[in-house]
Amino acid sequence: MNARVLVTGAAGFIGFHLSRRLLADGYTVHGIDNLNGYYDPGLKRSRLSQLEGHPAFTFQRLDLADREGVAVLFDRWPFDMVIHLAAQAGVRHSLRAPHDYADSNLLGFLNILEGCRKQQVSHLLFASSSSVYGANSRLPYSVHDPVDHPVSLYAASKRAGELMAHSYAHLYRIPSTGLRFFTVYGPWGRPDMAYFSFTQKILAGKKIPVFNHGQMRRDFTYIDDIVEAVVRLLPHAPQGQNLWPEDPASSAAPFRIFNIGNHQPVALMDFIQILEQVLQKKADLELLPMQDGDVLATYADVQELQELVDFAPRTDLAEGLSAFVDWYRSYYGVGS
């Protein structure tokens, strides 16, 4: 492709998989990450080791909150497109360390937006989250619904990022696409996610915490499906068109929002049962009340994504969890 793409959060779960796919497709990838200690930095370095041998991959350790460092990055390297995935993740962590979210998700994103403005990149794609739907009760979650009632600071920071990106699209005509990811899972995943910690605890014979007594549903989306959707969106920079009057998902500015999910929510207890079957080991459940900042269900309406890029998720949960468990056993040297 000969296009140079900046991928922020390249050592993260989605960033690693996406960078690997872009390299395979012929893009030149410049990855940045601060390799922070929110979860095991060794896992992040292991992901990077899978990328660093590729001649079209360059990596730089950089904290996005470093305004001068990000400015130098954009001064030194010309980018055709930017895929902004770096963020402080985690609903629970946002209750304990709120300033981490202001530094990374607000200030860090502002620095990226400024870089995109100076270079007038052809397309900015940025990670949002299903968490922005917050207290919304209508399912499936639609990009055409308002999202004005977040129930965690993490969700609020992601919604703020969407609004910041829209303002830059409006003021500076930076084509921007927001990606609302739904419960991403798979090999090389994040240890703070439930599927990862459940696997770890079940194999170790420890209790797994099941909140709201298991009465929740999640739209689990396999990593390869996430990557496929993002890659298909890359050449589709928004032009600016109000497709629906007063619609939150589109704008007269070059700005669009998409859900990227499996469009098939799974009950938490069914998820645990599938994981037990894959692991061939019974889980010891600790039933607990609902956690602060959590929601009962997530369910992605992906109609707009299907219409624009003919996207349809292909990986069912049993297949995806099997792939994850195979990787987990291999990476951590855990037998059956």
Side-chain angles (χ1 to χ4, degrees):
M1 301 294 295
N2 294 322
R4 180 177 291 276
V5 182
L6 172 65
V7 177
T8 73
F13 174 34
I14 300 175
F16 157 67
H17 281 276
L18 182 58
S19 295
R20 187 165 61 176
R21 170 65 184 274
L22 292 173
L23 291 168
D25 286 356
Y27 290 90
T28 297
V29 176
H30 188 99
I32 62 171
D33 202 293
N34 66 358
L35 301 174
N36 69 20
Y38 171 63
Y39 62 80
D40 178 19
L43 177 58
K44 299 176 183 181
R45 293 190 182 95
S46 293
R47 295 179 185 133
L48 277 178
S49 71
Q50 306 291 308
L51 301 171
E52 288 181 320
H54 198 290
F57 180 75
T58 306
F59 177 73
Q60 177 181 349
R61 185 168 183 172
L62 179 64
D63 191 325
L64 294 185
D66 176 359
R67 184 192 305 181
E68 182 178 347
V70 175
V72 169
L73 169 74
F74 280 91
D75 285 341
R76 181 179 178 188
W77 298 96
F79 301 116
D80 299 294
M81 290 170 280
V82 173
I83 305 176
H84 176 56
L85 303 174
Q88 178 57 62
V91 169
R92 236 66 59 213
H93 187 68
S94 71
L95 303 178
R96 300 187 295 268
H99 291 90
D100 290 355
Y101 295 77
D103 292 340
S104 180
N105 301 3
L106 302 180
L107 178 58
F109 192 21
L110 177 60
N111 291 336
I112 290 294
L113 288 168
E114 274 292 286
C116 292
R117 177 183 68 83
K118 290 176 182 177
Q119 285 203 4
Q120 284 296 303
V121 298
S122 65
H123 195 184
L124 165 65
L125 298 93
F126 65 93
S128 187
S129 168
S130 62
S131 296
V132 300
Y133 289 102
N136 286 25
S137 58
R138 186 167 71 174
L139 295 173
Y141 289 154
S142 170
V143 292
H144 306 303
D145 293 335
V147 283
D148 297 325
H149 298 94
V151 295
S152 70
L153 184 65
Y154 168 68
S157 72
K158 283 297 188 179
R159 178 57 179 151
E162 293 179 350
L163 297 174
M164 291 163 61
H166 181 271
S167 70
Y168 270 66
H170 170 73
L171 291 169
Y172 308 115
R173 310 306 294 178
I174 299 169
S176 301
T177 300
L179 313 168
R180 290 177 180 168
F181 296 134
F182 280 68
T183 315
V184 189
Y185 75 101
W188 295 98
R190 278 173 35 200
D192 63 314
M193 298 290 285
Y195 70 92
F196 200 117
S197 63
F198 283 7
T199 298
Q200 186 178 44
K201 287 180 168 63
I202 292 171
L203 288 174
K206 298 179 179 179
K207 287 182 178 290
I208 64 172
V210 180
F211 294 100
N212 200 39
H213 305 279
Q215 301 303 305
M216 292 193 290
R217 293 189 299 154
R218 290 291 181 269
D219 200 341
F220 295 98
T221 313
Y222 190 62
I223 182 62
D224 288 359
D225 292 327
I226 291 285
V227 168
E228 181 64 32
V230 176
V231 167
R232 291 191 186 196
L233 283 169
L234 263 180
H236 291 275
Q239 302 301 308
Q241 180 182 12
N242 262 74
L243 302 180
W244 303 272
E246 305 299 324
D247 181 69
S250 63
S251 173
F255 178 87
R256 287 290 302 272
I257 292 284
F258 293 95
N259 288 334
I260 306 184
N262 199 47
H263 191 59
Q264 190 173 355
V266 175
L268 181 56
M269 299 306 290
D270 292 340
F271 164 81
I272 292 171
Q273 186 178 44
I274 293 170
L275 184 57
E276 288 175 328
Q277 292 169 355
V278 172
L279 292 171
Q280 297 185 328
K281 190 168 183 178
K282 195 74 176 172
D284 186 5
L285 309 184
E286 182 181 9
L287 299 178
L288 298 169
M290 190 79 160
Q291 291 189 107
D292 288 340
D294 222 336
V295 296
L296 287 173
T298 63
Y299 180 5
D301 181 341
V302 295
Q303 179 181 348
E304 286 71 27
L305 196 58
Q306 290 171 336
E307 291 175 351
L308 181 65
V309 296
D310 193 28
F311 168 80
R314 297 182 177 181
T315 313
D316 67 32
L317 187 58
E319 179 186 353
L321 283 177
S322 293
F324 166 73
V325 168
D326 287 346
W327 168 83
Y328 183 94
R329 290 188 188 279
S330 173
Y331 184 79
Y332 290 102
V334 179
S336 56

